[in-house]
Amino acid sequence: MPNPFAIIGRVFLSALAEIGRIATFTGHSLASIIVPPIYWRSILGQMWLIGYNSLPVVGLTALFTGAALAQQIFVGGSRFNAESVVPGVVVIAIVRELGPVLGGLMVAGRVSSAMAAELGTMRVTEQIDALVTLSTDPFKYLIAPRLIAATITLPVLVLVANIIGVLGGYIIGTGRLGLNPSTYLQVTSDFLEQSDVISSMVKAGVFGFIIALMGSYHGYNSSGGAQGVGKATTNAVVSAFITILLANLIITVIVFGGAS
Amino acid sequence: MSNQSNKMIALQNVHKKFGNKSVLNGVNLSVDRGKSLVIIGGSGSGKSVTLKCVLGLLQPDTGAIQVNGNETTTMSSRERKKTLASFGMLFQGAALFDSLPVWENVAFGLIQGKGLNKKDAKEIAVEKLRRVGLTPDVGELSPAELSGGMQKRVGLARAIAAEPEIIFFDEPTTGLDPIMADVINDLIVECVQDLGATTMTITHDMASARKIADNIAMLYQGKIIWDGPKSDIDQSNNEYVEQFIHGSAQGPIEMDVFRA
């Protein structure tokens, strides 16, 4: 019978080795972002793919979530005659948490997998080796544009998602729950603070970086043909999801942990 | 095989392991300036690893690799990039970039590596496409729209586009019908003669080896077991070489399938 401590030890060491490999990859990627050449055309292309193409899925997610949230808060609040808190709670929940987290997760599902699949296919068909033989650094040409584009684009996407999420709450709140439209907007505006928006944008930027990093890391290091690319795609999405949720917790504790 | 001053590529006692599996066990070989060396050997004999070690895509565990008199195993990334600029490479599956049209694939090294503007690079790319028997309109197609033979020809055009001093061919005829394989062999011979380049080819196609090579070396279990002029290969007095060139299942080379 295998020794359970040996199994735990092996898993722990293998996790440490993976963290080390990701850290090395991140360091190499950051260095390639800073040092020229910078491929602006690739960055713009990636911004289009990540931002514009993700807009429908992120927008719809935010709209439905904001609407459902308003309904739930109304039901919960009505137990204490506190239906008027709906706009305030909706805007804080959307801007601080649900906008960036759900937006990040939706984009991770779309973009991390696509990046891993594309880079993985390039790896197994020797296109990445071909880049090297053509005097082109794959980190600068492939990884850096994805990281820059995702880090810039996610905050914009999340900003739009936040607005649409609040709009979802407004539509349900005023159309179905009988809240006054002008009061709804006034309360939303009163509850929203600058720090909420800033933390939302910071989270989105970090999530964007994580999404591109995980997609690139797993795709770049994939091996073993079509099966390897499939595995890289799955690993990219799963690791992006977990890392986004962990990063969200850390940022939330740092930004709001001391708030009364 | 050659005197020291005339050597363009020289490998001395090169070893490479992957985990516990030893792939190269002290490879010694050299290629004279302007000459064509073909490395033959069965699957898993270490041909591709040898080529990737010379290209710098893999780092050998021990041993020395000199290109044009410069030791490549200890080069900085900047020096390596400079050395790579004098290389051309035709990959087994052509390794064309899916995201770029054919002409941009051919011109890639000129634009990214040598900093040529797109207009001039495109003119050269069209000329190189014509050199390998492809019309300019092929340049506007996507690599996915080409047949296997056309992809190989585009790969050859890309390999010669920057007029390199050294060209590597990785299984140039694998996956092609005999007629197209002969067309590719002829093109390789013509293009190499035009450029006066030094070439290193790995293949298990003896018809290709006989057509392309000045010298042939046979790799078996990570070691060069025979090398000499191609005219001597039929009188090698080496039972491994004889079994390989005759494609016989009987002989000292045992395939894994027989041990199962």
Side-chain angles (χ1 to χ4, degrees), chain A residues 3 19 23 25-26 31 35 44 76 79-80 85 99 102 110 123 148 154 180 206 220 235-238 242-243 251:
Chain A
N3 183 344
I19 291 167
F25 187 89
T26 308
V35 182
L44 291 173
R79 294 176 191 167
F80 313 100
V85 298
L102 288 180
R110 253 198 92 250
R123 167 62 72 197
I148 294 170
L154 250 286
N180 181 282
V206 172
Y220 190 84
N235 288 343
V237 175
V238 172
I242 292 169
T243 317
I251 296 169

Side-chain angles (χ1 to χ4, degrees), chain B residues 62-82:
Chain B
T62 57
I65 299 174
Q66 276 130 27
V67 174
N68 209 1
N70 300 314
E71 179 60 45
T72 62
T73 53
T74 52
M75 271 180 177
S76 66
S77 57
R78 185 174 293 180
E79 288 171 322
R80 182 173 293 285
K81 193 177 171 186
K82 207 173 160 188

Side-chain angles (χ1 to χ4, degrees), chain B residues 12-46:
Chain B
Q12 285 143 23
N13 201 25
V14 173
H15 288 78
K16 180 72 186 172
K17 272 186 176 181
F18 293 99
N20 294 325
K21 187 174 163 46
S22 189
V23 179
L24 301 183
N25 296 307
V27 171
N28 291 292
L29 58 83
S30 61
V31 193
D32 287 352
R33 191 179 299 276
K35 294 290 180 186
S36 172
L37 173 73
V38 173
I39 303 173
I40 58 171
S43 302
S45 58

Side-chain angles (χ1 to χ4, degrees), chain A residues 50-253:
Chain A
I50 297 165
Y52 184 78
N53 291 354
S54 300
L55 204 49
V57 70
V58 171
L60 286 172
T61 304
L63 183 72
F64 298 146
T65 304
L69 193 62
Q71 178 68 55
Q72 290 285 17
I73 293 163
F74 182 84
V75 172
S78 64
R79 294 176 191 167
F80 313 100
N81 293 322
E83 295 90 341
S84 60
V85 298
V86 169
V89 178
V90 166
V91 73
I92 285 180
I94 289 284
V95 174
R96 285 188 182 183
E97 287 295 321
L98 296 174
V101 172
L102 288 180
L105 294 179
M106 296 310 285
V107 176
R110 253 198 92 250
V111 173
S112 277
S113 55
M115 282 183 185
E118 186 180 2
L119 294 178
T121 305
M122 289 187 76
R123 167 62 72 197
V124 300
T125 57
E126 296 185 305
Q127 290 179 50
I128 292 177
D129 289 343
L131 277 176
V132 177
T133 65
L134 292 164
S135 304
T136 304
D137 182 346
F139 270 82
K140 288 189 200 302
Y141 187 74
L142 296 173
I143 314 294
R146 285 166 168 78
L147 289 172
I148 294 170
T151 308
I152 294 171
T153 308
L154 250 286
V156 179
L157 261 181
V158 166
L159 189 65
V160 174
N162 288 345
I163 294 166
I164 295 174
V166 170
L167 181 69
Y170 174 84
I171 291 168
I172 285 286
T174 58
R176 190 170 186 277
L177 306 174
L179 299 174
N180 181 282
S182 61
T183 309
Y184 193 105
L185 293 175
Q186 186 59 48
V187 174
T188 299
S189 166
D190 290 346
F191 264 75
L192 190 63
E193 291 179 8
Q194 197 180 25
S195 63
D196 297 330
V197 179
I198 291 169
S199 79
S200 186
M201 296 300 99
V202 169
K203 280 183 179 183
V206 172
F207 298 167
F209 185 82
I210 289 169
I211 288 164
L213 183 71
M214 289 302 151
S216 301
Y217 172 75
H218 290 284
Y220 190 84
N221 293 300
S222 71
S223 60
Q227 194 180 24
V229 176
K231 196 175 160 195
T233 306
T234 306
N235 288 343
V237 175
V238 172
S239 56
F241 272 34
I242 292 169
T243 317
I244 283 173
L245 294 172
L246 176 65
N248 179 58
L249 174 63
I250 292 169
I251 296 169
T252 301
V253 169

Side-chain angles (χ1 to χ4, degrees), chain A residues 37 39 41 118 121-122 125-137 141, chain B residues 52 55 57 81 84-85 89 91-92 95-98 104 108-109 112 118 158 170:
Chain A
Y39 295 95
R41 200 177 125 193
E118 186 180 2
T121 305
M122 289 187 76
T125 57
E126 296 185 305
Q127 290 179 50
I128 292 177
D129 289 343
L131 277 176
V132 177
T133 65
L134 292 164
S135 304
T136 304
D137 182 346
Y141 187 74
Chain B
K52 285 183 176 178
L55 279 163
L57 297 173
K81 193 177 171 186
L84 281 167
M89 169 85 187
F91 286 86
Q92 185 174 350
L96 302 178
F97 306 125
D98 306 321
E104 227 171 310
F108 193 91
Q112 305 298 345
K118 278 198 163 185
R158 184 172 71 181
D170 182 2

Side-chain angles (χ1 to χ4, degrees), chain A residues 5-21:
Chain A
F5 291 108
I7 295 170
I8 293 167
R10 267 199 299 275
V11 169
F12 182 69
L13 287 176
S14 130
L16 281 183
E18 182 69 2
I19 291 167
R21 281 192 289 271

